[in-house]
Amino acid sequence: MTPVELSRTVLHAVRRAVDEGELSVTVPERAVVTPPGPGGCGDYATGIALQLAGAAGQPPRRVAEILRARLAGEAFIDDVVVTGPGFLNFSLERDASALLVEEILRRGRRYGHAEGSSGTIVRLRCPAEVRAVVVADALARVLRSQGDLVRVTCDGRPAPEWETGLGVDAGHSGSCPHSLPHLDVTLHPAPAPADPLPLGRDAARWALLYPAAHDRPRITGDHLVQREANPLFRVRFTHARTRALLRNAADLGFHPEPGPVSDAEALLAALGDHPRILAATAAHRGPDRLARHLVSVADATLPLLPAVLPLGDEKPSAAHRARLALAEAAGAVLAGGLSLLGIDAPDHL
């Protein structure tokens, strides 16, 4: 069960409580589901009860208990605990992690993408400045992954090395169906202080996209250094390691098979959160959110990798196959995320 699916389940519980007269509220459009914070427990948590308490005219913990009773028996939820002022904390059944990995492997790099059109046109406009153009291109990719139809207009002609393949219309927005709702968005990120092209295309794009829009990007050789202090290196190295493990496992005669994996809660939470991150990146117009999320996925994946392959005379077991499947899923998320940022994810690094 992904956070998106868990959010739908929570909203369904709210709707049932309203229909049965225990809560008198308007059912919100979404319930924010995240890994639990300090004092929380389990796999995920939501503060929906605190959000509804005022309108319901009841204490948050009472609202939480009403919802807990309806959520405890849901499929793939092992336990629901109320903590603090009224947070609902969910522990998922162990099979839920295997189902998450199965879904990621089924969808591959498109995991987290919308399965249909949103019916919305987003018209992005940016100045003819290198960072603005790259941010517009990355944001357009993410918006399209969420089902939006996107048109990008640049106020002038970008430099040729950045215009090629960016999908940016210089000076015009192209034709859009007038019957569809549309949003007009103007992008003005802090400009690059220097030409990033000497870094190479991939490192240059990362240097421009990783900082928040209001932060001035650093155009330095640090983005090229192959060491752990370089976030881009960690992300691409982790992806390459997952691909190498798949090749090595095939040589040993075994293949990935989703199953329960111990001590991988942080990684499973990060993978499960990927669809929410893509939606938030689109909603807040911030490709930096996706870039930072990829670093989190990489950092949660690296501790898993040494235990994927059997050691010495050890025979491949179900645990090895499950860890290999989880590593492959992590690699798919990293490759898909880098692709949305317009950055290559090589199998060899």
Side-chain angles (χ1 to χ4, degrees):
M1 178 177 284
T2 67
V4 173
E5 292 168 332
L6 186 54
S7 174
R8 295 194 198 104
T9 302
V10 171
L11 292 179
H12 180 63
V14 174
R15 192 169 293 109
R16 285 166 53 202
V18 171
D19 291 343
E20 293 167 15
E22 284 207 77
L23 290 178
S24 179
V25 296
T26 300
V27 180
E29 292 186 1
R30 70 186 188 106
V32 177
V33 174
T34 64
C41 60
D43 299 301
Y44 296 106
T46 180
I48 187 72
L50 285 76
Q51 177 184 340
L52 298 176
Q58 301 189 49
R61 284 191 68 93
R62 172 58 185 159
V63 175
E65 289 293 346
I66 291 172
L67 298 178
R68 188 195 69 78
R70 288 167 171 77
L71 290 163
E74 290 287 342
F76 307 119
I77 295 178
D78 184 57
D79 194 18
V80 185
V81 176
V82 178
T83 62
F87 290 100
L88 287 160
N89 296 255
F90 304 93
S91 295
L92 303 183
E93 293 179 355
R94 296 189 72 185
D95 286 347
S97 63
L99 292 174
L100 170 63
V101 173
E102 284 180 4
E103 180 186 357
I104 296 172
L105 297 184
R106 177 178 62 83
R107 302 204 63 194
R109 295 187 179 200
R110 293 185 60 81
Y111 167 64
H113 290 213
E115 303 222 8
S117 172
S118 69
T120 298
I121 298 169
V122 182
R123 299 189 296 208
L124 300 176
R125 178 177 291 276
C126 67
E129 184 273 328
V130 60
R131 189 185 187 198
V133 170
V134 170
V135 168
D137 173 62
L139 180 56
R141 293 168 187 257
V142 175
L143 288 166
R144 290 179 184 121
S145 81
Q146 301 305 292
D148 293 335
L149 179 64
V150 184
R151 295 290 183 267
V152 183
T153 302
C154 187
D155 295 334
R157 178 66 65 182
E161 58 268 24
W162 298 109
E163 180 184 6
T164 304
L166 289 181
V168 174
D169 302 318
H172 60 86
S173 60
S175 60
C176 297
H178 294 293
S179 59
L180 294 177
H182 65 269
L183 298 172
D184 292 314
V185 178
T186 301
L187 301 174
H188 283 295
D195 180 10
L197 195 59
L199 297 177
R201 188 175 182 84
D202 287 338
R205 288 183 71 96
W206 182 269
L208 298 172
L209 294 171
Y210 185 68
H214 58 270
D215 291 332
R216 200 169 184 81
R218 295 184 304 105
I219 310 301
T220 69
D222 292 346
H223 297 291
L224 299 174
V225 176
Q226 296 196 15
R227 62 187 181 206
E228 289 187 2
N230 178 0
L232 174 60
F233 171 74
R234 294 208 304 279
V235 171
R236 299 176 89 189
F237 172 77
T238 303
H239 169 263
R241 285 281 292 125
T242 66
R243 303 306 299 171
L245 288 170
L246 287 166
R247 295 191 297 270
N248 295 339
D251 291 340
L252 294 173
F254 78 99
H255 302 281
E257 185 177 316
V261 177
S262 59
D263 300 323
E265 291 80 4
L267 175 55
L268 289 164
L271 297 179
D273 207 29
H274 186 64
R276 184 189 68 82
I277 292 294
L278 292 183
T281 298
H284 296 280
R285 323 298 187 211
D288 58 291
R289 289 174 179 252
L290 174 56
R292 292 195 300 272
H293 173 64
L294 296 181
V295 176
S296 297
V297 172
D299 289 346
T301 303
L302 285 170
L304 168 78
L305 302 185
V308 169
L309 298 180
L311 300 176
D313 295 331
E314 188 180 11
K315 299 296 184 183
S317 65
H320 291 112
R321 291 190 289 273
R323 287 193 289 266
L324 181 62
L326 180 55
E328 183 181 10
V333 168
L334 293 173
L338 286 172
S339 176
L340 290 176
L341 297 178
I343 298 173
D344 288 338
D347 287 353
H348 303 269
L349 195 63

